[in-house]
């Protein structure tokens, strides 16, 4: 599993750790808010709807940030964009500690989201273009697991802050700790290198950032963009349909409050990490299409069993592990797949659009669950919606070509500078 790391060049290893740290610190900054929600509600005297609005605005702004940062990385470079986005989300997380009222926090969280969504897009493309072809899936899947590490770190910061400080001070201290990721920029500047990209045979005219964004709708990649957007929607929609309503389902229909216990939270975090690592292993073993389809199918079966079968409390807690594991495996697959579908001149734009279009579109699935629950049980609504979303993901990925083993044209690998035909910016034919 980790042979690829031992065989990696110093640049590959540094790039892995730089992106791993960035994604983990993203999770630290984002998950701190979910843990601090009760204290923030008390501090500002807001209701659950307003608190939910902060999460929704952050999600939408992160999607927009990912799309724009992807395009920016095609224009000014992957490493420079990564530096900008890290400083952006760290700075605005820190400023959240000084918000004096609800509107200020809403704006600052939206700006924070813009940065953390952009960091993923820039880092995913940097990883794809730096790691050698045969190990790309394993490395990028492993980077996705950093979210679980950052999530766990957020829980530890939360426990320490609220154990030693008054509630109204503790949540502000948590956000202040969010400035820590800014130090990662020093590592990025010193140890990461922009992938060497060859010039196309005929120099293309410079376009604006808006023009760069719209390139993914060119006829040569339009089909890929549409199917990729549907895949992103299914992957994210299923996840949010389950995770948004799972606490309510367990509390109201199963009369459990286990999501408020540290033990259950630990199970969820470990399951997420294991799902990413299992997906990382399978990506290079069975291919991108089969991996996504397998995890989507397992998600459908698991969630339907979870919400519809007459399980005991213990059985539900046990089944919660594979539920989280399979749900994590699909997002871990999207980075390698989307990178391998686009040519170098629009790779960042394509990756940013497909992944983040899914984030925005997926916001409709939790709403649909709530609407359907008026005419059926909440568990039934969750199961149907999640099955629809993951069914979309299965269909979409089977309409895409298998990309395992593709070299990324337009990029000169450090280990094999002569391996790329510098007259083309397209991809090799798919293998398998």
């Amino acid at each position: 599993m980790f042979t690829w790391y031992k065989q990696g060049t110093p640049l590959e290893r540094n790039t892995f750790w730089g992106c791993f740290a960035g994604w983990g610190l993203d999770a630290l900054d984002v998950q701190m808010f979910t843990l601090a929600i009760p204290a923030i509600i008390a501090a500002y005297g807001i209701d659950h709807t307003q608190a939910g609005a902060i999460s929704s605005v952050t999600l939408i702004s992160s999607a927009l940030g990912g799309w724009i940062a992807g395009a920016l990385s095609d224009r000014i470079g992957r490493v420079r964009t990564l530096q900008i986005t890290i400083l952006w989300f760290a700075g605005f997380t820190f400023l959240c500690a000084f918000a004096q009222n609800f509107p200020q926090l809403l704006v600052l969280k939206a700006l924070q989201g813009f940065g953390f969504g952009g960091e993923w897009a820039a880092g995913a493309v940097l990883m794809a273009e730096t790691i050698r072809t045969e190990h790309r899936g394993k490395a990028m899947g492993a980077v996705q697991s950093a979210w679980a590490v950052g999530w766990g770190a957020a829980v530890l910061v939360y426990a320490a802050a609220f154990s030693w400080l008054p509630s109204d001070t503790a949540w502000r201290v948590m956000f202040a700790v969010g400035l820590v990721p800014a130090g990662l920029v020093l590592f990025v500047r010193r140890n990461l290198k922009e992938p060497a990209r060859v010039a196309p045979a005929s120099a293309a005219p410079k376009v604006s950032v808006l023009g760069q964004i719209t390139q993914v709708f060119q006829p040569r990649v339009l089909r890929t963009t549409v199917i990729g957007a549907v895949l992103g929607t299914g992957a994210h929609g299923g996840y949010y349909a389950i995770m948004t309503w799972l606490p309510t389902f367990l509390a109201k229909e199963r009369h459990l409050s286990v999501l408020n216990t540290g033990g259950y939270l630990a199970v969820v975090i470990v399951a997420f990490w294991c799902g990413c690592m299992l997906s990382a292993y399978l990506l290079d073993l069975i291919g991108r299409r089969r991996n996504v389809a397998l995890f989507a199918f397992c998600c459908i079966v698991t969630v339907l069993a979870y919400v519809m079968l007459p399980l005991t409390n213990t059985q539900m807690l046990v089944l919660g592990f594979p539920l989280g594991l399979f749900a994590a495996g699909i997002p871990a697959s999207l980075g390698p797949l989307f990178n391998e579908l686009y040519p170098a001149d629009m790779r960042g734009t394509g990756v940013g659009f497909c992944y983040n279009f899914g984030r925005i579109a997926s916001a409709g699935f939790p709403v649909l669950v709530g609407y359907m629950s008026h005419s059926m049980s909440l568990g039934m609504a969750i199961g149907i919606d999640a099955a629809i979303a993951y069914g979309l993901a299965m269909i979409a990925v089977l309409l895409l070509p298998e990309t395992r083993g593709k070299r990324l044209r337009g990029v000169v690998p450090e280990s094999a500078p002569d391996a790329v035909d510098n007259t083309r910016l397209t991809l090799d034919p798919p293998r398998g």
Side-chain angles (χ1 to χ4, degrees), residues 8-16 130-131 191-193 414:
T9 65
L11 177 61
E12 287 177 318
R13 295 179 185 179
N14 286 337
T15 302
F16 170 80
T130 302
I131 304 297
N191 296 282
L192 305 191
K193 187 170 68 174
E414 182 194 45

Side-chain angles (χ1 to χ4, degrees), residues 21-203:
W23 191 231
L25 292 169
D26 263 0
L28 171 69
D29 284 8
V30 172
Q31 296 291 0
M32 283 192 300
F33 171 74
T34 65
L35 296 167
I37 284 177
I40 292 172
I41 289 176
Y44 292 145
I46 61 177
D47 57 26
H48 287 84
T49 301
Q50 290 171 302
I54 296 177
S55 294
S56 298
V57 167
T58 304
L59 180 65
I60 293 172
S61 67
S62 71
L64 295 175
W67 190 4
I68 293 173
L72 194 63
S73 73
D74 286 332
R75 189 174 178 85
I76 67 172
R78 321 311 191 192
V79 174
R80 186 182 301 177
T81 304
L82 185 64
Q83 294 170 8
I84 293 171
T85 53
I86 291 173
L87 288 174
W88 184 286
F89 81 73
F92 281 106
T93 302
F94 177 74
L95 291 176
C96 286
F98 303 97
Q100 298 302 304
N101 50 50
F102 169 73
Q104 289 181 11
L105 184 62
L106 184 69
V107 171
L108 290 171
K109 281 291 293 175
L111 291 170
Q112 178 219 39
F114 193 87
F116 94 75
E119 190 274 339
W120 184 91
V125 181
L126 177 63
M127 280 285 295
E129 294 182 342
T130 302
I131 304 297
R132 66 191 69 184
T133 301
E134 62 269 26
H135 300 317
R136 189 180 299 127
K138 292 185 284 291
M140 295 189 70
V143 161
Q144 192 82 14
S145 73
W147 185 268
V149 176
W151 190 356
V155 172
L156 294 177
V157 172
Y158 167 80
F162 280 82
S163 295
W164 294 95
L165 299 169
S167 177
D168 190 47
T169 303
W171 72 265
R172 295 183 183 276
V173 170
M174 287 178 67
F175 281 125
V177 171
L179 190 62
V180 170
L184 178 63
V185 172
L186 298 176
F187 177 86
V188 171
R189 287 180 62 87
R190 296 184 60 180
N191 296 282
L192 305 191
K193 187 170 68 174
E194 184 68 23
R197 285 185 280 171
V198 297
S202 57

Side-chain angles (χ1 to χ4, degrees), residues 64-378:
L64 295 175
W67 190 4
I68 293 173
L72 194 63
S73 73
D74 286 332
R75 189 174 178 85
I76 67 172
R78 321 311 191 192
V79 174
R80 186 182 301 177
T81 304
L82 185 64
Q83 294 170 8
I84 293 171
T85 53
I86 291 173
L87 288 174
W88 184 286
F89 81 73
F92 281 106
T93 302
F94 177 74
L95 291 176
C96 286
F98 303 97
Q100 298 302 304
N101 50 50
F102 169 73
Q104 289 181 11
L105 184 62
L106 184 69
V107 171
L108 290 171
K109 281 291 293 175
L111 291 170
Q112 178 219 39
F114 193 87
F116 94 75
E119 190 274 339
W120 184 91
V125 181
L126 177 63
M127 280 285 295
E129 294 182 342
T130 302
I131 304 297
R132 66 191 69 184
T133 301
E134 62 269 26
H135 300 317
R136 189 180 299 127
K138 292 185 284 291
M140 295 189 70
V143 161
Q144 192 82 14
S145 73
W147 185 268
V149 176
W151 190 356
V155 172
L156 294 177
V157 172
Y158 167 80
F162 280 82
S163 295
W164 294 95
L165 299 169
S167 177
D168 190 47
T169 303
W171 72 265
R172 295 183 183 276
V173 170
M174 287 178 67
F175 281 125
V177 171
L179 190 62
V180 170
L184 178 63
V185 172
L186 298 176
F187 177 86
V188 171
R189 287 180 62 87
R190 296 184 60 180
N191 296 282
L192 305 191
K193 187 170 68 174
E194 184 68 23
R197 285 185 280 171
V198 297
S202 57
K206 278 282 186 180
V207 296
S208 65
V209 174
L210 179 60
Q212 184 71 45
I213 289 175
T214 59
Q215 283 190 348
V216 295
F217 302 110
Q218 292 180 3
R220 59 173 171 149
V221 293
L222 180 59
R223 181 178 182 274
T224 294
T225 298
V226 171
I227 297 174
V230 173
L231 173 56
T233 299
H236 288 99
Y239 181 85
Y240 288 115
I242 297 170
M243 297 305 172
T244 300
W245 288 103
L246 187 61
T248 304
F249 167 73
L250 291 175
K252 301 298 183 184
E253 294 194 1
R254 297 290 186 170
H255 308 292
L256 295 172
S257 58
V258 292
L259 284 185
N260 295 324
T261 67
Y264 190 87
L265 190 58
V267 169
V268 173
I269 293 173
V270 171
F272 188 95
W273 185 88
C274 291
C276 290
M277 296 305 294
L278 177 60
S279 181
Y281 175 74
L282 292 175
L283 276 167
D284 290 326
L285 181 66
I286 66 175
R288 287 34 168 165
R289 295 168 75 241
R290 291 177 181 174
N291 188 64
V292 173
L294 174 63
F295 273 90
F297 176 77
C298 290
C299 281
I300 293 172
V301 173
T302 307
V303 71
L304 290 177
Y306 194 81
V307 300
M308 295 183 181
L309 293 181
L311 303 174
T312 66
N313 291 351
T314 301
Q315 289 171 334
M316 291 196 70
L317 294 179
V318 171
L319 193 59
F321 184 88
L323 184 68
L325 183 144
F326 294 132
I330 300 176
S333 308
L334 299 183
L337 175 60
F338 287 155
N339 271 284
E340 292 160 350
L341 290 172
Y342 285 94
D345 59 327
M346 63 176 72
R347 185 168 296 132
T349 309
V351 171
F353 175 79
C354 291
Y355 190 86
N356 290 290
F357 178 89
R359 270 183 173 170
I360 294 178
S362 67
F365 282 88
V367 176
L368 185 59
V369 170
Y371 176 78
M372 292 172 61
S373 67
H374 293 302
S375 58
M376 62 182 70
S377 69
L378 179 59

